[in-house]
Amino acid sequence: MASQCQMYHSGTSGVGENVAEGNPSKKIFYNGISRLLSSSSSLYTGQGSIGEVLTDWADNEKPNYDAATQTCNGVCGHYTQVMWKTTTLVGCGVAHCASNNTPYYCCQYIRPGNCNGYNFMSDDSPCSLFTDASFTP
């Protein structure tokens, strides 16, 4: 993402993925949503921690999730991926675009979520599992 100065999903099979882009106008973008950050937020500069971006995804989308019906009223897929019960490995990072220093955040999740709707508490996930013989956790 950062090498091309564009936000996009990697397309890696078998992993869940959340991506976000910060910018100097103190906004963070993800999934077509632009949200104004507080003036104290360091996410837009890329100085924020991965914990902060995970919290941002979860806290801002949790109100859109209806646990009773396991549906979203608006965007909640980042929240449900962060909360996905059968996820056992999470890898996150931030990189900056060389031309304008825009930060790009990415977290990948094994086992991925959201492939059975938004039932993140399910013990049995139908999501395909990442398989790569060269990968060692």
Side-chain angles (χ1 to χ4, degrees), residues 17-55:
E17 185 172 73
N18 288 345
V19 296
E21 170 187 356
N23 75 15
S25 65
K26 296 190 178 184
K27 293 183 180 180
I28 193 161
F29 295 91
Y30 49 86
N31 232 30
I33 298 168
S34 171
R35 190 176 62 72
L36 191 62
L37 297 169
S38 71
S39 59
S40 62
S41 176
S42 55
L43 293 177
Y44 78 95
T45 64
Q47 302 305 309
S49 70
I50 294 301
E52 286 177 285
V53 84
L54 285 166
T55 299

Side-chain angles (χ1 to χ4, degrees), residues 5 12 19 27-28 31 33 40 60-61 72 75 78 87 93 105 113 117 123 129 136:
C5 300
T12 303
V19 296
K27 293 183 180 180
I28 193 161
N31 232 30
I33 298 168
S40 62
N60 287 291
E61 294 184 13
C72 295
V75 175
H78 300 94
T87 294
Y105 299 91
D123 286 322
L129 185 58
T136 306

Side-chain angles (χ1 to χ4, degrees), residues 6 8 12 15 19 32-33 38 41 45 60 62 67 78 80 82 88 91 94 96 103 107 110 112 118 121 123:
Q6 294 180 10
Y8 57 89
T12 303
V15 300
V19 296
I33 298 168
S38 71
S41 176
T45 64
N60 287 291
K62 183 179 181 181
H78 300 94
T80 55
V82 169
T88 56
V94 61
H96 292 80
C107 290
I110 300 175
Y118 297 104
M121 289 303 297
D123 286 322

